[in-house]
Amino acid sequence: MKSLLSKGLLVVSIISLASCDYQKYNTIRQKDYRAGDKYVYGPGKDSAAVQSKYTYTARPELEQRTAKIREKLFGATAIAKGN
């Protein structure tokens, strides 16, 4: 009986969330001043932006610093696993 009640409450809550306008007012009402900028949005809808196509030369002197930051953020175990 208890599992049936909990399943029923779950179904009711899902239906109630689906019926409302979830995040209806979670929008920014301002003009996009970069609309149409090929540098930011790319030349077409399905193309990558120009700024994402840039490549930079590797700087090996920063590898130790990057490893220390990753270890501090994710711990030593995540680095050993390759995550």
Side-chain angles (χ1 to χ4, degrees):
M1 183 69 184
K2 188 174 181 180
S3 67
L4 181 65
L5 180 64
S6 64
K7 288 178 185 177
L9 286 174
L10 179 66
V11 169
V12 169
S13 63
I14 289 173
I15 290 172
S16 68
L17 284 176
S19 65
C20 67
D21 291 331
Y22 180 66
Q23 291 189 348
K24 179 179 177 181
Y25 300 106
N26 192 11
T27 59
I28 299 174
R29 293 187 174 103
Q30 64 185 15
K31 184 180 176 186
D32 185 7
Y33 65 92
R34 291 192 175 174
D37 189 358
K38 291 182 181 181
Y39 182 75
V40 176
Y41 295 110
K45 286 186 175 181
D46 295 330
S47 60
V50 175
Q51 64 184 350
S52 64
K53 296 177 185 176
Y54 293 148
T55 57
Y56 299 97
T57 57
R59 293 176 55 189
E61 65 271 7
L62 297 178
E63 289 297 322
Q64 289 180 345
R65 182 173 180 229
T66 306
K68 286 181 183 178
I69 292 172
R70 282 190 185 128
E71 184 177 342
K72 188 173 185 178
L73 289 175
F74 304 113
T77 58
I79 295 172
K81 292 179 183 176
N83 293 338

